[in-house]
Amino acid sequence: MTIRRLSVYTRCLLQLEEDGVKTVSSQELAERFNLNSAQVRKDLAYFGEFGVRGIGYYVSGLKAELQRILGLDREWAVALVGFGNLGSALFHYKGFTRQGFRIAAIFDEDPAKVAREVESTPIFSSRELGREIKARGIQIAIMAVPAEAAQPVADLLVSAGIRAILNFAPARLKIPKDVRLKHVDLSIELETLSFYLAKPSSR
Amino acid sequence: MTIRRLSVYTRCLLQLEEDGVKTVSSQELAERFNLNSAQVRKDLAYFGEFGVRGIGYYVSGLKAELQRILGLDREWAVALVGFGNLGSALFHYKGFTRQGFRIAAIFDEDPAKVAREVESTPIFSSRELGREIKARGIQIAIMAVPAEAAQPVADLLVSAGIRAILNFAPARLKIPKDVRLKHVDLSIELETLSFYLAKPSSR
DNA sequence: TAGATTGTTAATCGATTAACAATC
DNA sequence: TAGATTGTTAATCGATTAACAATC
């Protein structure tokens, strides 16, 4: 939860920096997100003393610190698995690149696509997944495969040593307990939304 | 958090039903997800008494109950805002439809796209957003617009009375406090992943 | 020095877990 | 009846908030 909030603060600091704001207090940050100022201070103090008493936090400095903590100060090599309609769009999507996630290799089953290149990014067969992931130092995978392929592909990624998955397939991945792998199932986010609408009165 | 877990249980029950399993205990469910069986029982009991003492839960019955609670027993009319590369792929993506999210209208700025149809789904100008959303009973929007368009589009959606947004734009939406609107910013999920990799030793 | 705001300790709140009577 | 497992109460744990000394 703290990490989620750090991500939110970072976005806000980027905006403040653009607006030319030099310093910001925990109170000001808290108000923007309906949080308690003590919580903001605690979140920030957890990773070091970034603030200045009587002043607050220097926007640029704090932003840089948070980006470093979140791993947004570097580029991540990403594998895109599944190069159909969705995969192709995600490849061209600027959103990932913008945050430092560079698609270093594409994987697909379709022999017609394999061994070709898109904007100088190579497309491999899923059979080559393990080798290429290691060779290219890829730690994150974006999955855009059909639901039925989701679990087999996830298993492949696990044995290739991938460490994080953003899963667009409408299936919940089952990852062995002993594997240190963080994954986000997009479909769960959607289901959460529908609950909110189905039960407008509660929470 | 309970809702997130209900979503996970539902997916598991679907699988169990396919496998022909008739009943399941809180203990069995808990083991699958590294949860405590008391927590599973509490999650389920919160919405009614679905279990049978000495037996457990009937898979089919519980699945149906959870789907109802999550609003997955009906179809939701969804607006797709932004029909570029990503928007177009999301439109053809089976994942949303599969879970009952039907794209009822598309919105885009590009005059070349407006007033056309894709697979009998009409494309409107963003100016028509308010009218069409009301006319079609749309409550959920999927945003696939450029980062700089994200906030203005979100504001439009808010005034059109939309109640949930799945945001693919790499920007964190700012929603007025008095508006009851639930939104998921996909980019925050990504940033959470990178943190996990940047700090492998902690938490 | 006076005012502001941090970092942190202690108090509060909420969520998770253990334990068990109820009951199939 | 004996065994299993629920729903729920009480105990525990962790996260949020209030309060305040430290300090710019």
Side-chain angles (χ1 to χ4, degrees):
Chain A
M1 273 300 121
T2 301
I3 299 315
R4 247 197 166 66
R5 287 195 299 265
L6 288 188
S7 166
V8 169
Y9 302 153
T10 307
R11 214 65 67 78
C12 182
L13 290 165
L14 276 164
Q15 186 60 52
L16 288 171
E17 195 179 37
E18 272 182 36
D19 298 350
V21 178
K22 294 298 175 207
T23 65
V24 67
S25 70
S26 58
Q27 182 59 41
E28 289 169 309
L29 276 174
E31 273 165 17
R32 281 194 162 70
F33 307 110
N34 292 22
L35 295 173
N36 183 291
S37 70
Q39 182 161 76
V40 173
R41 289 200 297 282
K42 203 153 214 182
D43 284 343
L44 298 176
Y46 184 80
F47 293 96
E49 298 204 2
F50 303 140
V52 184
R53 284 156 208 245
I55 304 287
Y57 301 86
Y58 289 108
V59 171
S60 301
L62 183 58
K63 186 206 69 174
E65 287 289 358
L66 295 189
Q67 287 186 322
R68 184 182 53 74
I69 292 164
L70 290 171
L72 298 175
D73 60 339
R74 49 160 284 184
E75 199 182 77
W76 293 99
V78 173
L80 173 61
V81 191
F83 199 60
N85 238 315
L86 182 62
S88 160
L90 291 172
F91 178 78
H92 293 104
Y93 179 50
K94 294 287 162 294
F96 298 137
T97 324
R98 211 162 176 261
Q99 289 172 83
F101 299 95
R102 186 179 56 83
I103 293 173
I106 301 172
F107 298 92
D108 200 283
E109 290 280 76
D110 185 354
K113 290 172 188 162
V114 170
R116 292 181 49 213
E117 276 196 353
V118 208
E119 293 174 13
S120 60
T121 303
I123 307 182
F124 298 102
S125 151
S126 309
R127 268 179 287 107
E128 303 166 288
L129 209 147
R131 190 188 65 210
E132 294 301 327
I133 279 180
K134 274 161 208 149
R136 288 156 199 273
I138 294 173
Q139 304 198 72
I140 302 178
I142 298 174
M143 281 177 47
V145 300
E148 55 278 13
Q151 192 57 52
V153 163
D155 295 342
L156 268 179
L157 289 168
V158 164
S159 51
I162 209 96
R163 286 175 54 220
I165 296 178
L166 182 61
N167 174 33
F168 282 80
R172 214 253 170 184
L173 302 182
K174 216 170 283 184
I175 307 290
K177 285 176 200 175
D178 56 322
V179 177
R180 284 183 56 79
L181 185 145
K182 173 98 177 173
H183 65 115
V184 175
D185 294 307
L186 190 63
S187 51
I188 289 188
E189 305 302 328
L190 252 179
E191 291 176 6
T192 317
L193 287 185
S194 73
F195 166 77
Y196 181 83
L197 299 181
K199 275 249 146 187
S201 49
S202 73
R203 51 179 56 200
Chain B
M1 274 301 122
T2 300
I3 299 314
R4 248 195 166 67
R5 287 195 299 265
L6 288 188
S7 167
V8 169
Y9 302 154
T10 307
R11 213 65 67 81
C12 181
L13 291 164
L14 277 165
Q15 187 60 53
L16 288 172
E17 196 179 36
E18 271 182 37
D19 298 348
V21 177
K22 294 298 175 205
T23 65
V24 67
S25 70
S26 58
Q27 182 58 40
E28 289 169 310
L29 276 175
E31 273 165 18
R32 281 194 162 70
F33 307 111
N34 292 20
L35 294 172
N36 183 292
S37 69
Q39 183 162 76
V40 173
R41 290 199 296 281
K42 202 154 214 180
D43 285 343
L44 297 175
Y46 184 80
F47 292 97
E49 298 203 3
F50 302 141
V52 183
R53 284 155 208 242
I55 304 286
Y57 301 87
Y58 288 107
V59 171
S60 300
L62 183 60
K63 185 207 69 175
E65 288 289 358
L66 295 189
Q67 287 186 323
R68 186 182 52 76
I69 292 164
L70 290 170
L72 297 175
D73 59 339
R74 49 161 285 183
E75 200 181 76
W76 292 99
V78 173
L80 173 62
V81 191
F83 199 62
N85 238 313
L86 182 62
S88 161
L90 291 173
F91 179 78
H92 293 103
Y93 178 49
K94 294 287 163 292
F96 297 138
T97 324
R98 210 162 176 263
Q99 289 172 83
F101 299 95
R102 187 179 56 83
I103 294 173
I106 301 171
F107 298 91
D108 201 283
E109 292 279 76
D110 185 353
K113 290 172 187 162
V114 170
R116 290 181 50 214
E117 275 196 354
V118 209
E119 293 175 13
S120 61
T121 303
I123 306 181
F124 298 102
S125 151
S126 309
R127 270 179 286 104
E128 304 165 288
L129 208 148
R131 189 187 66 210
E132 293 302 327
I133 278 180
K134 274 161 207 150
R136 288 157 198 272
I138 293 172
Q139 303 198 74
I140 302 178
I142 298 174
M143 281 177 48
V145 301
E148 57 278 13
Q151 192 57 52
V153 163
D155 295 342
L156 268 179
L157 288 168
V158 164
S159 51
I162 210 96
R163 288 175 53 218
I165 296 178
L166 181 61
N167 175 32
F168 282 79
R172 214 254 169 185
L173 303 182
K174 216 171 282 184
I175 306 291
K177 284 176 201 174
D178 56 322
V179 177
R180 284 183 57 79
L181 185 145
K182 173 95 178 175
H183 65 113
V184 175
D185 293 308
L186 190 63
S187 51
I188 289 188
E189 305 302 328
L190 251 180
E191 291 176 5
T192 317
L193 287 185
S194 73
F195 166 78
Y196 181 82
L197 299 181
K199 276 247 148 188
S201 50
S202 74
R203 56 177 57 201

